[in-house]
Amino acid sequence: MPEAPRLLASILPSANTVVERTTQALLRDLPGVMPIFTRVAKRGAVDPFPDSYDWDAMMQAAELLADAKPDAIIWSASKGAVIGLEHDRALVRRVRDATGLPCTTSGLALLRALELLGATRVALIGPHTAEYNRRAARGLAAEGVEMVAEASLGITDNLAFASVGYGAVAALARQVARPGVQAIILWNTNCAGAPLAAALEAETGIPLLDATALGVWGGLGAAGIPETPGRGWGRLFTLPAKGSG
């Protein structure tokens, strides 16, 4: 146990059980970096704030994490692309203004990774509905990113996302791996796919970007931490994360 670790602080939806275990696994070989977490309410299939964030809850969560003086705060969720990533940019500004701490989100980290990969034509996959992917596609289109393929499982309950196994995630990725797809994005932080990235990339030749891994990658960059989990977690962790917030 390190005596004085650097801290990556994540805000996640309350029914999410994947962000913590994925983040812990990604940081396992970085003993000088420790994750801490807090939650905002997200239950069932109905979002009471479908077109924005619950700003009071989000800022309360950020301020509670700020009490621990982390090196960066991460919003680890896929909602930003669905409602428009201007909301994520506003969140980063608000958190920085309120806490003085670096902040990023899975959505902003995604844009940075796609820029570095030179990828503008992507496939979206996840356990959710096709309509969710289409809404995310509209948000990404506003950022110059085109969804050219999608695959989804039709699940609507937030907690149930976490029960989807690796085999189902791999099958979704293979379903969209085709010429013209420049990146495959598992756009749901409550669905575990990060451990599959390297193997699926070797199989398909296409980068696979996991939403939770994106948050961790972006958080390390925002915190100015040069160490990464390494290429064993996929191509994402060979890219420079600075500028993803």
Side-chain angles (χ1 to χ4, degrees):
M1 186 174 75
E3 184 175 355
R6 302 189 71 176
L7 302 178
L8 280 189
S10 294
I11 304 169
L12 58 144
S14 58
N16 190 305
T17 65
V18 170
V19 165
E20 285 141 323
R21 57 189 166 106
T22 299
T23 303
Q24 288 162 352
L26 286 166
L27 297 180
R28 187 172 295 133
D29 293 327
L30 278 65
V33 185
M34 187 182 82
I36 60 175
F37 306 93
T38 195
R39 285 171 151 74
V40 292
K42 177 64 173 76
R43 305 179 180 98
V46 178
D47 184 349
F49 297 88
D51 300 311
S52 185
Y53 288 134
D54 180 349
W55 288 109
D56 289 342
M58 293 289 278
M59 294 310 301
Q60 182 181 37
E63 288 166 6
L64 287 171
L65 287 171
D67 289 344
K69 298 294 188 286
D71 291 84
I73 293 176
I74 305 159
W75 168 229
S76 190
S78 59
K79 183 175 177 177
V82 175
I83 61 175
L85 285 164
E86 70 274 9
H87 293 85
D88 279 23
R89 295 186 180 96
L91 174 63
V92 166
R93 288 194 299 269
R94 290 189 187 204
V95 170
R96 287 175 174 166
D97 289 347
T99 68
L101 296 171
C103 178
T104 192
T105 73
S106 293
L108 297 179
L110 171 62
L111 293 183
R112 172 64 174 165
L114 292 176
E115 176 187 6
L116 292 170
L117 290 167
T120 59
R121 293 166 58 82
V122 305
L124 295 179
I125 64 172
H128 39 252
T129 62
E131 175 55 26
Y132 188 91
N133 277 343
R134 286 191 288 268
R135 288 189 66 192
R138 290 193 288 271
L140 291 176
E143 308 290 340
V145 178
E146 180 187 4
M147 184 182 79
V148 295
E150 74 87 24
S152 44
L153 297 177
I155 300 171
T156 57
D157 178 72
N158 193 268
L159 180 60
F161 295 154
S163 65
V164 174
Y166 291 145
V169 173
L172 291 174
R174 293 183 181 112
Q175 187 177 330
V176 298
R178 64 190 68 164
V181 172
Q182 298 172 313
I184 298 170
I185 304 164
L186 175 56
W187 197 235
N188 189 303
T189 63
N190 203 21
C191 182
L196 306 177
L200 284 170
E201 288 173 349
E203 176 184 331
T204 66
I206 303 171
L208 188 136
L209 305 176
D210 170 87
T212 302
L214 282 161
V216 174
W217 174 78
L220 289 168
I225 298 172
E227 297 82 10
T228 76
R231 64 175 59 250
W233 290 92
R235 189 171 173 188
L236 174 67
F237 289 101
T238 70
L239 304 174
K242 189 175 181 181
S244 60

